Amino acid sequence: MKKRLFSGIQPSGDVHIGNYLGAIKNWVRLIDQYDCLFCIVDYHAITIEYDPKEMQRRIFNAAAVNIAAGLDPEKCTIFVQSHVPEHTELAWIFNTITPIGHLERMTQFKDKSKQHRENINAGLFTYPVLQTADILLYKGEVVPIGEDQVQHVELSREIARKFNMRYGEIFPEPQEILSEAPRIMGLDGKTKMSKSLGNYISLVESPESIWKKLSTAVTDENRKRRTDPGNPDICNLFTLHKHFSKKEQIERINIVCRTAEIGCIECKKILSENMVEHLTPICLKYERLIKNTDSLVNILQTGAKRCRRMAGETMIEVKKKMGLV
Ligand code: AQP
């Protein structure tokens, strides 16, 4: 039997190259090795302000982009969190064994509370408890994520341990898997690339827009003039070159940037061309998929059906252990 893998993505905006390099590429890589469940976590996305009229489009968008990027629905299960009510049921149970102090330490909660001062709601605070329920409902053993989510998976291990000790052994302690690009910085070079910060390149960005965004992106800030030598080690765009450009180009840029033989504009043009080349097949597939919502609905319904069955079985076990039957 294959081990179970669980991971999720929020329909909170355009899926971007940070999501892709930090998580989605790894999901695709691991698809044959594990029994993979990929969840569009809409209940997480509503912890920040959003437009209800936009949500359905975003859910379809998240499904289509991920499939276009390589998540073959024949090989994995793709579903929407709110289609399986047991996620919130198990989250409630986990709320009763999660110390408030642990949640107060969560970096994402602190960051999002600063970002959304007018809406610091209880859902934002208990987000990692719901995330733990997402994983453990299916007894997920591995969780491929970006670096920003590591603290949450650590907490999910603690909650699993605590439940098992208090009520009896049911849950595995999930382990995170990080990609080679666990933290992609935004085009401002200062903050993590994020859907909600608008500092990203989407996975289905047009070639014109990719160039427009790259042309104003921050590079090595110490390089003021074209004739100044640059330092690729601290240039955010050089990190992107490492993921999109060809080996010889990366090696050359690493040398000629330091000697000022290449300027930032030329360097950005090379990156832009390579990014367009890499992302074009994803864009084309996405455009085909997004037009066929019936097929997307079918994929998501099939996924939810399988997940509801598994979730129901786990909840029976949980309730028996807790004396709730
Ligand atoms: N910048 C990033 N670099 C590497 N990995 C990243 N991930 C997100 N941003 C980066 C990883 O992508 C997966 C899906 O992310 P998510 O949708 O759950 O939400 P997030 O982590 O909060 O991502 P965003 O884009 O920053 O969304 P918003 O702005 O809505 O909060 C996760 O595995 C994540 O680690």
Side-chain angles (χ1 to χ4, degrees), residues 10-76:
Q10 297 190 71
S12 51
D14 298 329
V15 177
H16 52 72
I17 56 170
N19 299 131
Y20 177 63
L21 298 172
I24 301 168
K25 259 183 105 175
N26 238 359
W27 301 349
V28 175
R29 183 178 68 82
L30 299 167
I31 208 163
D32 291 316
Q33 206 176 321
Y34 293 95
D35 174 13
C36 295
L37 305 185
F38 298 110
C39 186
I40 299 168
V41 288
D42 51 352
Y43 277 158
H44 287 287
I46 62 172
T47 57
I48 55 169
E49 285 294 330
Y50 74 102
D51 180 357
K53 290 200 263 335
E54 276 285 293
M55 188 50 99
Q56 194 177 63
R57 189 191 61 79
R58 284 184 171 183
I59 290 172
F60 283 137
N61 178 56
V65 172
N66 278 287
I67 297 169
L71 286 194
D72 180 351
E74 297 290 321
K75 292 185 175 180
C76 65

Side-chain angles (χ1 to χ4, degrees), residues 315-325:
M315 288 313 296
I316 290 173
E317 258 187 281
V318 167
K319 287 181 178 172
K320 266 193 192 153
K321 292 271 190 211
M322 296 180 74
L324 294 173
V325 271

Side-chain angles (χ1 to χ4, degrees), residues 8-10 12 16 18-19 22-23 108 112 144-146 148-149 181-184 192-196:
I9 189 155
Q10 297 190 71
S12 51
H16 52 72
N19 299 131
Q108 179 175 292
K112 297 245 157 154
I145 41 164
D148 59 326
Q149 295 297 327
R183 187 179 182 83
I184 294 293
K192 181 189 86 110
M193 187 173 282
S194 268
K195 299 187 205 85
S196 54

Side-chain angles (χ1 to χ4, degrees), residues 27 45 50 77-78 109 131 139 197 204 228 300 318 323 325:
W27 301 349
Y50 74 102
T77 300
I78 306 172
F109 174 66
Q131 189 170 341
K139 302 188 179 175
L197 293 178
V204 292
D228 292 341
L300 297 175
V318 167
V325 271

Side-chain angles (χ1 to χ4, degrees), residues 28-286:
V28 175
R29 183 178 68 82
L30 299 167
I31 208 163
D32 291 316
Q33 206 176 321
Y34 293 95
D35 174 13
C36 295
L37 305 185
F38 298 110
C39 186
I40 299 168
V41 288
D42 51 352
Y43 277 158
H44 287 287
I46 62 172
T47 57
I48 55 169
E49 285 294 330
Y50 74 102
D51 180 357
K53 290 200 263 335
E54 276 285 293
M55 188 50 99
Q56 194 177 63
R57 189 191 61 79
R58 284 184 171 183
I59 290 172
F60 283 137
N61 178 56
V65 172
N66 278 287
I67 297 169
L71 286 194
D72 180 351
E74 297 290 321
K75 292 185 175 180
C76 65
T77 300
I78 306 172
F79 71 107
V80 179
Q81 185 183 31
S82 65
H83 295 180
V84 186
E86 287 85 353
H87 284 251
T88 41
E89 194 181 4
L90 186 58
W92 176 257
I93 289 171
F94 288 159
N95 269 326
T96 66
I97 58 167
T98 307
I100 285 185
H102 285 25
L103 295 176
E104 281 168 343
R105 284 207 298 269
M106 295 295 122
T107 313
Q108 179 175 292
F109 174 66
K110 290 183 203 162
D111 290 348
K112 297 245 157 154
S113 300
K114 278 189 212 138
Q115 218 181 311
H116 306 279
R117 282 182 202 281
E118 70 302 334
N119 181 23
I120 307 174
N121 59 74
L124 201 58
F125 186 59
T126 57
Y127 184 114
V129 181
L130 178 58
Q131 189 170 341
T132 301
D134 300 337
I135 302 165
L136 295 183
L137 194 51
Y138 307 103
K139 302 188 179 175
E141 290 177 84
V142 292
V143 189
I145 41 164
E147 197 179 68
D148 59 326
Q149 295 297 327
V150 170
Q151 201 184 24
H152 289 174
V153 179
E154 279 165 5
L155 181 67
S156 76
R157 281 199 286 279
E158 284 185 48
I159 296 176
R161 206 173 306 139
K162 201 153 180 200
F163 183 97
N164 290 344
M165 274 165 61
R166 184 146 166 196
Y167 296 111
E169 196 76 26
I170 294 188
F171 296 116
E173 291 184 20
Q175 297 297 324
E176 64 273 9
I177 299 183
L178 291 180
S179 76
E180 311 169 330
R183 187 179 182 83
I184 294 293
M185 298 303 282
L187 298 175
D188 51 10
K190 292 186 177 65
T191 46
K192 181 189 86 110
M193 187 173 282
S194 268
K195 299 187 205 85
S196 54
L197 293 178
N199 59 359
Y200 61 80
I201 291 181
S202 126
L203 214 47
V204 292
E205 197 93 45
S206 71
E208 299 73 32
S209 182
I210 289 180
W211 169 242
K212 205 168 158 206
K213 288 188 175 183
L214 283 180
S215 62
T216 54
V218 173
T219 53
D220 167 7
E221 286 187 300
N222 298 325
R223 192 174 188 193
K224 306 269 185 254
R225 286 174 296 267
R226 165 70 180 79
T227 46
D228 292 341
N231 181 357
D233 300 335
I234 55 166
C235 175
N236 189 31
L237 294 196
F238 187 64
T239 310
L240 295 180
H241 267 293
K242 286 186 194 156
H243 298 288
F244 290 103
S245 298
K246 290 154 197 84
K247 195 164 168 270
E248 320 79 73
Q249 289 174 320
I250 302 165
E251 283 168 1
R252 180 173 167 268
I253 289 167
N254 196 15
I255 297 166
V256 292
C257 169
R258 294 175 200 276
T259 53
E261 284 168 76
I262 190 172
C264 289
I265 297 288
E266 196 190 329
C267 197
K268 285 175 171 182
K269 278 195 178 135
I270 298 170
L271 178 61
S272 178
E273 277 163 21
N274 289 326
M275 221 181 248
V276 169
E277 192 182 321
H278 191 103
L279 299 183
T280 296
I282 298 178
C283 278
L284 294 175
K285 194 162 178 202
Y286 166 79

